[in-house]
Amino acid sequence: KISKSILDIIIGEELESWKSALSNVAGIYLITDLTNGKLYVGSATGNEGIWQRWKEYSINGHGGNKELISLLNDKGKEYCNNFQYTILEIADTHASKDDIKQRESYWKDVLSSREHGYNSN
């Protein structure tokens, strides 16, 4: 698990060990709001895997996710500094998007992030 401030350093400096490791895996990740304990489960697929997704979170705080956009609009962009990032499961970047989405849904069910978190789907 890493904090938003550490994620910003890793992404900003493009630390090669992290970039190489995260670019070579797809998978499921968790964002925890340390203020209230709410969870967001997301997935990463494609050529740059988890690196690309987490880079988006570092840049804008929400990664394009509807619930997180709404949260940051309400509380201010700085609120994303309360987030912590964790990898739940990794997969080969060539795994099918359907397989990754199924695993993402599994984790949403296990962690109840639809009912008690920031996942709306």
Side-chain angles (χ1 to χ4, degrees), residues 5-112:
S5 60
I6 297 296
L7 178 66
D8 288 347
I9 291 168
I10 291 167
I11 298 296
E13 295 184 11
E14 292 199 14
L15 296 178
E16 191 52 44
S17 59
W18 281 85
K19 185 174 183 179
S20 176
L22 295 178
S23 293
N24 287 306
V25 292
I28 315 305
Y29 57 87
L30 178 69
I31 300 174
T32 304
D33 182 336
L34 297 175
T35 303
N36 58 24
K38 287 187 174 184
L39 304 175
Y40 175 82
V41 175
S43 63
T45 59
N47 293 339
E48 290 189 279
I50 293 172
W51 176 264
Q52 181 58 41
R53 290 298 292 137
W54 283 13
K55 184 176 180 180
E56 292 172 24
Y57 290 112
S58 177
I59 292 168
N60 62 30
H62 56 70
N65 305 92
K66 183 173 70 171
E67 295 289 328
L68 296 180
I69 290 170
S70 177
L71 177 70
L72 297 182
N73 283 341
D74 289 346
K75 304 230 179 226
K77 186 182 185 305
E78 317 78 44
Y79 188 82
C80 67
N81 292 320
N82 298 307
F83 295 167
Q84 174 180 281
Y85 303 83
T86 309
I87 295 173
L88 295 174
E89 184 175 329
I90 61 170
D92 186 283
T93 52
H94 300 295
S96 79
K97 287 185 181 182
D98 286 343
D99 287 345
I100 298 289
K101 289 295 182 189
Q102 285 177 351
R103 296 303 299 163
E104 179 184 13
S105 185
Y106 164 81
W107 283 107
K108 288 176 184 177
D109 290 343
V110 167
L111 298 171
S112 299

